[in-house]
Amino acid sequence: MKILKIALLAIAGLVILIGAVLAYVAATFDPNQYKPQIVQAVKERTQRTLKLEGDIGLSFWPSIGAKIGKVSLSERASDREFAAVEEVRVSLKLLPLLSRQAVVDTVRVRGLRANVVRAKDGRLNVDDLTGPPGAKAAPAAKGAQPDFKVDIAGVDIENATLAYADQAAGTKITLSKVNLKTGRIAPGVPGRVELSLNAQGGEPRLDMQAKLDTRLTLDPAKHSLVLEDLALEAKGVVGDFKNLAFKASGGATIDGSKERAQAQLAGKFDETGFKARVGVAGFAAPTIDFDVDLDQLDVDRYLAPTPAGAKQKPAAGRPESRFDLSGLRALRGAGTLKIGSFKANNVKASMVQVAVKASNGQVVLDPVAADFYQGKLASTITVNAAPATPTFAVRHRFSGISIGPFVKDLADSDILEGKGDVAADVTSQGDTVSVLKKALNGSASLKLADGALKGIDIAGSISGAKARLGSLRGEQTQAADSKARTNFSELTATFKIVNGVARNNDLDMKSPLLRVGGEGEINIGADSLNYLVKASIVGTSKGQGGREVDDLRGVTVPVRVSGPLASPSFKLDFGRAATDTAKQRLTDELQKRLGGGAAKGEAAQEGAKSGGSTRDTLRGILGR
């Protein structure tokens, strides 16, 4: 026992002696006198300029600690600032080091600034500090002792700014007002994490404020972490989407050893409620799988407002904005998207279901199904972002839809109504909306029933010409009349689309009173049309048009429809109608008078009774 007592006293004396030595060193040693040597050493090893404007403070007992103020480091071989900090405080408890444990008090960092740049050749401006690209740490020797166990009381980062610029892509993102506070960080020990920041960027525009609150559990041995009780909030602007507001709760796991991550979130995106499951496999070239369910989505809510009745156009002298799909080239994965109600470009749908597959720069949406304007939509959409200019292929099948509200919402045009089927199979390429419209190629078809061509009453216009066919010459132009309409029982047409122009030559519109055919083109790129409609009276009606038209049966009136899609004009060629009518009457009269047999006798008697010659008869027929 006496020997043990002597040993303990010796150890205690040794500890006191060591403490006294450390206290003396701490009291007498001034690290600030070595600033020039430190700056010179950094310059020689990294070719960077280190500035130590603040004091360096050291402590040795009971913790090894350091306090550093106002430090900055330049870019390599340059005077431009790479990183700077207003103040850093950190301390490490001494005694746990003897059992290979690193117990750290709260780490405090104030006023951190850092600028990370990726050059056009792909190199980062931190590569010289982190070692050659692709370099791997040497494997631990067999039988080597395990790594230190790290236990940090907390991390407190205040008002940090982190900037990242990609010179090849021409993008820049800045994280400002970054504030991070954590609880204890130790293997297997849950700790709270609170993070807030602002994010700004351009091309596309980015201006967001975000806040995260969660419980974090780390497992360094498995290179994994778990986020529980996660609450995330964000609001601001992303690209053309303005006034974004996002709230979500849920959890996430990351398994670094297997390179897998999973997240399950639920919340609200502005007025949209959502549930989402997202999985990632492989971190170097990730493959994503997802299932997203939205109760509603109004894309127009986040786009710049357009004046009522007008389509958005670039300001004079200002180029049309281009969309960049290069981010899709590295996208790989598959998933499903469900939307209860959907609106985009004022077109509406409900019960939307989309299956998505992406690989090698190609994104395929197949099938796309939805309830659509009292009917059904079934589509396949393919976007290929691999080429320098993206390409698109779209196949739509609309069944039993109400065409009037659809055309009104799509093109702000109230020219057609009816119910039936519409199909389109088109391709295009480009990176602006106007270029895509002008590059459209493919085909389309239309089959409607019990509808109307709005803006003109063809039957009424023909009826009104009854008394004028012998005297009216040339064309009569009339603007669209919102109250006028030409009813039909059936309308069919097919279109061939070449370079943004849809051409048709088989229009067939039927009603008890009219038969209408036509041919012409719709210039989709210019939002205009030029179409010739030929309308013929085939029946009698005292309803539509409001006049008796028995005497006009068989008369064909050409109607030229032209101008902007939203408000076309109509030209009725009554002169041509009169000429065609006179020709028909002449033909009928000649057949009657020059016919054989009884017809000849009847013609002679008719001529005798009238007391006129054949020349007089012809003049009467031609109205001369």
Side-chain angles (χ1 to χ4, degrees), residues 420-491:
D421 302 337
V422 180
D425 192 347
V426 297
T427 62
S428 188
Q429 60 181 2
D431 55 6
T432 67
V433 173
S434 61
V435 170
L436 285 175
K437 290 167 66 175
K438 293 176 182 179
L440 275 175
N441 289 280
S443 61
S445 64
L446 179 71
K447 184 177 182 180
L448 302 177
D450 301 325
L453 178 65
K454 303 176 74 173
I456 185 172
D457 178 359
I458 297 177
S461 298
I462 294 176
S463 299
K466 175 182 178 181
R468 296 180 290 169
L469 284 176
S471 59
L472 191 61
R473 296 292 184 267
E475 296 180 334
Q476 179 180 352
T477 301
Q478 64 182 68
D481 182 354
S482 60
K483 297 180 181 179
R485 55 193 287 131
T486 299
N487 296 326
F488 60 80
S489 57
E490 181 181 334
L491 184 150

Side-chain angles (χ1 to χ4, degrees), residues 462 465 468-470 472-474 535 552 554-558 572-584:
I462 294 176
R468 296 180 290 169
L469 284 176
L472 191 61
R473 296 292 184 267
L552 298 174
V555 173
T556 298
V557 176
L572 288 80
D573 193 348
F574 291 115
R576 183 172 175 180
T579 301
D580 291 345
T581 301
K583 288 180 180 179
Q584 185 62 47

Side-chain angles (χ1 to χ4, degrees), residues 374-386:
Q374 303 177 28
K376 297 289 185 181
L377 164 67
S379 300
T380 298
I381 302 172
T382 301
V383 180
N384 190 353

Side-chain angles (χ1 to χ4, degrees), residues 14 65 91 167 214 222 237 284 351 460 511 519 597 605:
L14 180 61
S91 60
Q167 295 179 344
T214 187
K222 296 181 179 179
V237 177
M351 303 302 292
S511 75
E519 60 182 351
Q605 295 176 10

Side-chain angles (χ1 to χ4, degrees), residues 141-381:
K142 188 175 181 180
Q145 294 293 325
D147 294 337
F148 274 87
K149 294 181 180 179
V150 179
D151 192 331
I152 303 174
V155 175
D156 187 352
I157 298 176
E158 179 184 347
N159 197 26
T161 300
L162 307 173
Y164 172 78
D166 189 328
Q167 295 179 344
T171 59
K172 182 177 181 179
I173 297 176
T174 301
L175 304 182
S176 61
K177 297 182 180 179
V178 179
N179 294 286
L180 173 65
K181 288 187 178 182
T182 75
R184 183 183 175 192
I185 301 175
V189 178
R192 296 305 304 183
V193 174
E194 297 177 7
L195 172 67
S196 63
L197 57 85
N198 293 349
Q200 295 87 26
E203 299 299 331
R205 181 186 173 192
L206 174 67
D207 188 0
M208 296 287 293
Q209 300 83 49
K211 183 169 62 175
L212 171 68
D213 188 355
T214 187
R215 187 169 71 247
L216 170 67
T217 304
L218 290 170
D219 188 346
K222 296 181 179 179
H223 305 283
S224 67
L225 64 84
V226 177
L227 300 176
E228 299 174 295
D229 297 333
L230 182 149
L232 176 63
E233 296 184 21
K235 61 181 179 180
V237 177
V238 178
D240 292 331
F241 297 95
K242 306 178 184 298
N243 303 318
L244 293 176
F246 177 84
K247 286 187 177 181
S249 60
T253 61
I254 300 176
D255 189 334
S257 60
K258 296 181 179 179
E259 293 194 350
R260 298 189 64 86
Q262 291 280 344
Q264 290 186 327
L265 300 173
K268 289 189 72 69
F269 182 80
D270 280 347
E271 298 180 350
T272 300
F274 71 91
K275 295 180 180 178
R277 180 201 60 81
V278 181
V280 178
F283 294 162
T287 299
I288 302 171
D289 65 277
F290 64 90
D291 294 298
V292 178
D293 194 340
L294 311 178
D295 61 2
Q296 60 176 321
L297 178 60
D298 183 353
V299 176
D300 295 343
R301 174 183 173 88
Y302 310 106
L303 301 178
T306 302
K311 292 296 179 183
Q312 188 174 0
K313 295 182 179 180
R318 183 177 178 182
E320 184 179 3
S321 60
R322 301 175 181 273
F323 46 82
D324 182 8
L325 302 182
S326 59
L328 298 178
R329 294 171 185 168
L331 184 63
R332 297 192 304 172
T336 61
L337 173 64
K338 297 180 181 178
I339 307 174
S341 63
F342 178 76
K343 178 184 174 186
N345 196 29
N346 205 40
V347 175
K348 307 170 186 71
S350 60
M351 303 302 292
V352 179
Q353 298 187 48
V354 183
V356 183
K357 292 182 179 179
S359 64
N360 300 320
Q362 189 173 83
V363 180
V364 180
L365 283 62
D366 183 23
V368 178
D371 292 344
F372 197 81
Y373 290 89
Q374 303 177 28
K376 297 289 185 181
L377 164 67
S379 300
T380 298
I381 302 172

